[in-house]
Amino acid sequence: MKAILITLWAKVKASYWFVPLLMAIGAITLSFLTTALDYRLGTSWINNTNWLYGNEPEGARAVLSTVAGSMITVAGVTFSMTILSISHTTSQVGPRLLNNFMSDKANQFTLGVFISTFLYCLMVLRTVRSAESPPPGLSVADAEKLELLGAFVPHVAMIVGVGMAIASVGVLIFFVHHIPETIHVSNIVARVGRRLNSQIDSQFPARVGESTDADVKTPVVLPPWFDESAERVVSEGTGYLEYIDGDGLLDLASRHDLVLHVQVSPGDFVTSKTVLLLASPKEHLSDEAVEGLSAMFVCGTQRTATQDLRFLVNQLVEVAMRALSPGVNDPFTAISCMDWLQSALETLADRELPSPHRYDDDQKLRLIAEPTSFRAFASLIFDQLRPYVAADRNASLHMMDMIGSLTVEVRSAEDRRLLARHACALRRECRRAINDTRTLTSVSHRYRDVLRLLTDADQRIRARQTGHWN
């Protein structure tokens, strides 16, 4: 249940309708409050206020009708502008960035302001009442005996409505400025890059102390009897894995005295035959336990960034690949993507990867789940981009610079050797894709600098102090 609620709340927050809906409900509530205040205050207060002018019922209706009509028209134009800009931009940078535009709080707030102003004026308009007149043909004495309703103009509610209309004009000006700023490719890349860094910060703890070249990652070790006694728990649905409730799995494993080995990661595509985890011993597994374990995995129709860092990496990689395609040929956008990817790798290198083993309160092994490693992230970035980068001089040189800068910052000797292998693969790919001798010479020169950083600790220290490595 927790996993379902978390993913549902993430989808609601990212939806385009959530904020406008809350603002619309608030506007309707405000209309009831202001009209109730008008009934309590009456009209005498406005007659004693020199800088305010009261309206007759017909004038009040005209003002409220004008504001309501104009707001719903502007709301339609605003929605059209948003959809048009989203359609144009996603065709350039990739459809997987559509959710980033839909979840933009400024776009949601703008639509909410116009909708709420429209609904507020509509709700107040229904309370405006003209004075009743006696039916024709009655004598004066009979007319005086009738209880006729007097005119009612909600002056407080009207002042609030006019204020909301003025505020809506300011929001419209802001929106006209915000749309081109939103679809600027540099801002798109920066938003994804910042979110990626933020997700890394939230999912991985800060490193305590300095790691050394002798640091060895803890291998995933299963009990010797695990394979023979384990039972497979398969997926109940088909789709992309959005969320895994690790705390829920640990609690179930403790209650049923199980050891669980998770086989999938957020972002993986699972089918009804995909093994989610292995549970041992199988004798402790009841039908209720299997259903509970399956409920800890939530699938959806698309990948999300709730737990899937690879999804954010792939968004930046996709923008870079499209920018380097022959039809676009925009290496500087690709360079911007690589800058943010470099920042993410540097952030990840400074983080302590959690242990794959999780224990209960009695220090018994209950859950084994391998975290996403620096190696996996580096492969996801460099291996996917290399064929596109290698064909462009600017992009290939920048990627080699990126690898060199990471070699300076990365503390683990194993990760530095990994970066050197990616640099070697990039140089080899450039030799096949580029014919220009000067470009190949520059790539080879920077590759040799990367190798010197790998073997010379003093040079790495100097590079950290000066900020330059080549």
Side-chain angles (χ1 to χ4, degrees), residues 353-389:
L353 294 181
S355 170
H357 304 93
R358 294 188 63 180
Y359 300 83
D360 61 12
D361 295 336
D362 299 326
Q363 297 304 307
K364 290 184 178 179
L365 178 64
R366 292 302 183 190
L367 181 65
I368 301 173
E370 292 191 65
T372 305
S373 63
F374 181 87
R375 172 185 293 271
F377 270 101
S379 177
L380 194 65
I381 294 170
F382 294 117
D383 289 341
Q384 290 189 106
L385 278 179
R386 190 183 305 116
Y388 299 87
V389 167

Side-chain angles (χ1 to χ4, degrees), residues 258-285:
L258 296 168
V259 178
L260 308 177
H261 187 197
V262 179
Q263 303 291 303
V264 292
S265 299
D268 292 345
F269 187 81
V270 298
T271 66
S272 58
K273 295 184 178 180
T274 301
V275 178
L276 299 176
L277 56 83
L278 300 176
S280 176
K282 63 178 70 175
E283 293 80 13
H284 295 177
L285 273 178

Side-chain angles (χ1 to χ4, degrees), residues 99-230:
N99 287 343
N100 295 13
F101 295 98
M102 300 297 288
S103 61
D104 189 326
K105 291 298 182 288
N107 292 340
Q108 296 175 11
F109 175 76
T110 300
L111 182 62
V113 166
F114 298 138
I115 294 296
S116 59
T117 303
F118 165 75
L119 288 176
Y120 176 84
C121 293
L122 196 65
M123 296 298 293
V124 173
L125 182 61
R126 69 184 180 85
T127 66
V128 179
R129 184 178 64 242
S130 299
E132 292 185 347
S133 57
L138 286 181
S139 64
V140 176
D142 292 336
E144 290 178 351
K145 295 179 182 179
L146 293 176
E147 295 183 359
L148 300 176
L149 294 175
F152 175 72
V153 177
H155 295 291
V156 174
M158 280 196 58
I159 292 171
V160 173
V162 172
M164 292 176 66
I166 295 172
S168 298
V169 174
V171 172
L172 178 62
I173 296 172
F174 159 77
F175 181 73
V176 172
H177 164 77
H178 179 70
I179 282 293
E181 186 180 52
T182 301
I183 64 177
H184 194 286
V185 67
S186 296
N187 293 330
I188 296 172
V189 171
R191 279 194 298 272
V192 178
R194 291 193 187 100
R195 187 176 183 187
L196 176 57
N197 279 321
S198 176
Q199 291 283 86
I200 292 174
D201 286 338
S202 62
Q203 292 192 26
F204 297 102
R207 187 183 297 278
V208 178
E210 294 289 336
S211 60
T212 64
D213 291 351
D215 284 347
V216 178
K217 293 180 175 61
T218 304
V220 176
V221 178
L222 294 171
W225 40 264
F226 186 87
D227 291 337
E228 293 78 10
S229 61

Side-chain angles (χ1 to χ4, degrees), residues 395-411:
S396 58
L397 290 176
H398 192 81
M399 177 172 278
M400 195 64 78
D401 288 340
M402 171 184 174
I403 295 174
S405 299
L406 286 169
T407 305
V408 172
E409 297 298 330
V410 167
R411 307 290 180 175

Side-chain angles (χ1 to χ4, degrees), residues 17-68:
W17 56 265
F18 180 63
V19 171
L21 177 63
L22 291 182
M23 297 179 69
I25 295 173
I28 294 174
T29 304
L30 180 62
S31 70
F32 286 118
L33 293 177
T34 53
T35 51
L37 182 61
D38 273 306
Y39 275 115
R40 179 176 293 273
L41 294 178
T43 60
S44 59
W45 68 274
I46 198 169
N47 296 327
N48 299 325
T49 307
N50 296 329
W51 52 277
L52 287 178
Y53 298 94
N55 287 327
E56 295 298 323
E58 292 303 320
R61 290 192 185 96
V63 171
L64 292 172
S65 299
T66 301
V67 173

